[in-house]
């Protein structure tokens, strides 16, 4: 007879998604808006940024800064900039009765050129 033993219990690792972190990303809006009708481009750009933040930061609550919104709409509804440099900051929610413990704040980062830029972890100020 063979005696089956249970596997030893592993210690639970703390999820990286629960930590407060800030990163800078370049989002290629051109490929995300390809084939969209002109009047839907800027509103879709906002939705795509939300979706990108949700995927990378893992928080349901995504807040877009007004300056980023202004930059997206700067050339009108049709002509959204091809690329955006954004800073995604996962922060703790101060609102106690909120469902989500964390939220992501998306802000615009001005850059002279997008050449050679990588995703960068930003130290909390």
């Amino acid at each position: 007879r063979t005696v089956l033993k249970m596997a030893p219990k592993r210690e639970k690792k703390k999820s990286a998604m629960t930590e407060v972190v800030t990163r800078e990303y370049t989002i290629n809006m051109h490929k995300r808006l390809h084939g969209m009708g002109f009047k839907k481009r800027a509103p879709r750009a906002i939705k795509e940024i939300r979706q990108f933040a949700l995927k990378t930061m893992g928080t349901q609550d995504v807040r877009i800064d007004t300056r980023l919104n202004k930059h997206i709409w700067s050339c009108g509804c049709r002509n959204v900039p091809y690329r955006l440099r954004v800073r995604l900051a996962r922060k703790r929610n101060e609102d106690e009765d909120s469902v989500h413990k964390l939220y992501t704040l998306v802000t615009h980062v001005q850059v002279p050129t997008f050449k050679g830029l990588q995703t960068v972890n930003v130290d909390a100020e």
Side-chain angles (χ1 to χ4, degrees):
R1 270 175 46 169
T2 57
V3 179
L4 297 175
K5 290 184 179 177
M6 288 177 66
K9 287 189 177 179
R10 291 192 194 133
E11 296 167 19
K12 285 190 178 177
K13 291 180 183 172
K14 192 177 173 188
S15 173
M17 287 295 179
T18 60
E19 291 175 18
V20 173
V21 69
T22 305
R23 293 192 196 105
E24 277 186 13
Y25 293 93
T26 302
I27 306 177
N28 185 352
M29 295 311 297
H30 193 230
K31 75 173 183 186
R32 288 176 166 84
L33 298 176
H34 178 259
M36 287 304 301
F38 276 151
K39 292 296 178 185
K40 295 190 175 116
R41 287 175 81 92
R44 172 58 75 93
I46 300 290
K47 288 183 190 119
E48 290 290 338
I49 290 169
R50 276 187 199 284
Q51 199 174 355
F52 178 83
L54 176 83
K55 194 181 98 185
T56 52
M57 288 300 194
T59 62
Q60 291 291 323
D61 189 358
V62 176
R63 301 172 191 181
I64 293 177
D65 189 45
T66 51
R67 271 171 273 163
L68 175 59
N69 190 42
K70 284 238 190 319
H71 180 72
I72 290 167
W73 284 84
S74 61
C75 301
C77 189
R78 301 171 161 204
N79 304 314
V80 176
Y82 276 7
R83 282 186 174 76
L84 292 172
R85 188 73 175 170
V86 293
R87 179 172 290 161
L88 300 184
R90 194 187 303 134
K91 297 184 172 186
R92 299 214 184 285
N93 209 339
E94 301 300 322
D95 191 15
E96 290 297 322
D97 51 283
S98 173
V99 179
H100 310 293
K101 290 190 171 48
L102 298 167
Y103 71 93
T104 303
L105 178 65
V106 188
T107 51
H108 181 238
V109 179
Q110 287 274 333
V111 288
T113 179
F114 291 101
K115 304 279 186 205
L117 285 177
Q118 306 250 315
T119 298
V120 180
N121 278 337
V122 180
D123 297 328
E125 293 94 30

